[in-house]
Amino acid sequence: ECHMTTLKCLECMARVCSKQGKMDLAIPMYERFIALREGAEEKGVKNVFDSANMATVYHELAECYRIVGKTDESETMESRAEKVMGVLKERV
């Protein structure tokens, strides 16, 4: 439960910082969120966050990267978001 709280707080704070234009704070928070989430999956924790939520996180981080001029990283995150959305479309 503590892990879920940490993840949700990171996600919300990253979103707030990005909306305020504080990309220097938002980007590391999004990156940490993704690392923790992927770490939880590796440990066998299922459905930490649903796929649609992760697609949103990838898309928001891509936008942050684009704003600061990190084009390659932005494209990588957009690709991840599209991949997740493709999986979701197959399920429907």
Side-chain angles (χ1 to χ4, degrees):
E1 185 174 325
C2 180
H3 191 70
M4 285 292 292
T5 302
T6 301
L7 284 170
K8 197 62 184 165
C9 286
L10 271 173
E11 178 190 10
C12 291
M13 289 302 298
R15 189 166 287 130
V16 167
C17 289
S18 70
K19 298 295 181 196
Q20 292 177 344
K22 298 176 182 177
M23 300 309 157
D24 58 323
L25 297 173
I27 289 172
M29 287 183 198
Y30 277 125
E31 291 171 340
R32 184 68 179 143
F33 171 85
I34 292 168
L36 286 171
R37 187 212 181 242
E38 290 172 352
E41 284 181 349
E42 289 174 8
K43 291 178 184 176
V45 178
K46 301 288 183 190
N47 296 321
V48 174
F49 280 85
D50 64 40
S51 296
N53 185 64
M54 280 311 297
T56 301
V57 168
Y58 290 141
H59 179 72
E60 289 171 355
L61 180 54
E63 181 64 15
C64 291
Y65 281 143
R66 187 192 61 73
I67 289 169
V68 298
K70 294 185 176 183
T71 307
D72 292 342
E73 290 90 339
S74 178
E75 290 173 0
T76 299
M77 288 301 119
E78 283 295 347
S79 173
R80 285 187 180 187
E82 289 173 17
K83 182 179 176 184
V84 170
M85 291 308 292
V87 170
L88 286 173
K89 287 178 184 177
E90 290 176 8
R91 291 183 189 170
V92 176

